Amino acid sequence: MPSCLVNPAYLLWLRRPWLQQGLLSLVALALMSALWWALIAPPRQADTPYPLGPYNQERCPLPGEGSGTFKVLVISQLLAKPLAQALCHEPALTGRFAQVEVSWQARGELSAADIMERRYQLLWNRDYVLTGLVPRYHQYLAELLALPDYQVYLLGREPVVLSSAAFAGKRLGLLSDSESQSGYQLPLHALNDAGIKPEPGQLRFFRERRQLQAALAKGNVDFITAIAAKGHTPWFDPAKALLIAGKVPAGAWFIDSRLSRDKALSETLVRHLEAAMKAQLARPW
């Protein structure tokens, strides 16, 4: 082949072995990098918002020149509005805080940071849950009001019989909060103890107790879970209910340990909490 037809870059390639080795090394490095990303590197997360749990909120401003927010966390949405209405007109909070915020969310959403950073001034939960999150939670929260035990029932449109034959083809409504004793765990324990293995579609899940009750009333489910506090008349017909658990601890209300030193404020909050709980126990729960 005439030299005039040879590409000069090709001649340089032939005369420079170090250039050949360098280019081959770069190619090998690129292949290794691609293999690492394909087989070893973790997959990239989609650019989508983190899925938050069920959450609801009631908020109102307080008169005066107070600052910050008095935040309350409850484990039942049914208490959010009545508590907000009561606390938003409470003189003991006026001038100290700028607003009141009452929130409800699934128990699993509470974090250790919520406790240690004192994100809530008042909350309802169980001691073992708080201990599991922050073993020394008493440094941040003080028990304000212990709640009485309650009983858990299976409530049906007709009297409930817990057997495989009676449950065949029936639908049980549960709360989607898997950490709820009364709305999720205890009903499933009762089925298991009775030797009942639900078929796909027999368990229906709902966010709130009001949705459970509405589903039962409309005939969308055959059974739901219901609560009755000890010493209180149940809101449902006992003849259509089956007791599955008694003396279930309801936990307690806890207050920011710094606010617990204010005896007048603590007594005022206890009064509102007792009134709200008593009113709620007289309605479907």
Side-chain angles (χ1 to χ4, degrees), residues 229-240:
K230 186 177 181 180
H232 292 265
T233 302
W235 57 269
F236 50 83
D237 182 358
K240 297 181 179 180

Side-chain angles (χ1 to χ4, degrees), residues 148-215:
D149 295 342
Y150 63 92
Q151 298 170 318
V152 181
Y153 294 82
L154 283 182
L155 174 65
R157 295 170 61 85
E158 301 295 335
V160 177
V161 177
L162 203 56
S163 68
S164 297
F167 194 73
K170 303 295 185 181
R171 298 154 299 173
L172 171 62
L174 301 171
L175 290 180
S176 55
D177 181 2
S178 62
E179 296 188 29
S180 171
Q181 289 194 63
S182 60
Y184 184 93
Q185 296 179 7
L186 291 174
L188 292 182
H189 288 324
L191 295 185
N192 184 66
D193 291 343
I196 299 173
K197 296 182 179 180
E199 298 291 334
Q202 283 192 281
L203 301 181
R204 306 289 178 86
F205 297 93
F206 302 85
R207 278 185 52 182
E208 309 167 13
R209 293 192 182 277
R210 286 181 293 193
Q211 294 176 340
L212 278 177
Q213 294 148 13

Side-chain angles (χ1 to χ4, degrees), residues 35-225:
L35 181 63
W36 187 90
W37 281 106
L39 300 179
I40 303 175
R44 183 176 181 271
Q45 297 293 329
D47 294 328
T48 56
Y50 182 79
L52 299 177
Y55 192 87
N56 200 20
Q57 193 175 85
E58 299 286 344
R59 184 189 292 118
C60 62
L62 291 170
E65 299 180 355
S67 61
T69 302
F70 185 82
K71 293 186 177 182
V72 183
L73 180 66
V74 298
I75 56 178
S76 172
Q77 186 182 20
L78 301 176
L79 284 174
K81 186 176 290 293
L83 269 181
Q85 291 174 341
L87 297 180
C88 287
H89 297 87
E90 175 48 54
L93 298 178
T94 299
R96 179 178 296 189
F97 296 94
Q99 63 179 352
V100 170
E101 180 182 287
V102 182
S103 303
W104 170 79
Q105 60 185 13
R107 272 156 281 227
E109 297 297 319
L110 184 67
S111 67
D114 289 333
I115 298 173
M116 299 180 69
E117 296 178 13
R118 301 178 188 269
R119 294 175 183 169
Y120 297 100
Q121 284 64 57
L122 183 66
L123 63 87
W124 173 16
N125 217 307
R126 293 184 173 92
D127 173 82
Y128 67 83
V129 174
L130 300 180
T131 301
L133 292 172
V134 181
R136 297 184 178 181
Y137 78 85
H138 292 97
Q139 295 181 4
Y140 309 96
L141 296 168
E143 184 176 304
L144 180 65
L145 176 65
L147 299 176
D149 295 342
Y150 63 92
Q151 298 170 318
V152 181
Y153 294 82
L154 283 182
L155 174 65
R157 295 170 61 85
E158 301 295 335
V160 177
V161 177
L162 203 56
S163 68
S164 297
F167 194 73
K170 303 295 185 181
R171 298 154 299 173
L172 171 62
L174 301 171
L175 290 180
S176 55
D177 181 2
S178 62
E179 296 188 29
S180 171
Q181 289 194 63
S182 60
Y184 184 93
Q185 296 179 7
L186 291 174
L188 292 182
H189 288 324
L191 295 185
N192 184 66
D193 291 343
I196 299 173
K197 296 182 179 180
E199 298 291 334
Q202 283 192 281
L203 301 181
R204 306 289 178 86
F205 297 93
F206 302 85
R207 278 185 52 182
E208 309 167 13
R209 293 192 182 277
R210 286 181 293 193
Q211 294 176 340
L212 278 177
Q213 294 148 13
L216 181 65
K218 295 177 181 178
N220 295 332
V221 295
D222 301 287
F223 312 105
I224 64 170
T225 60

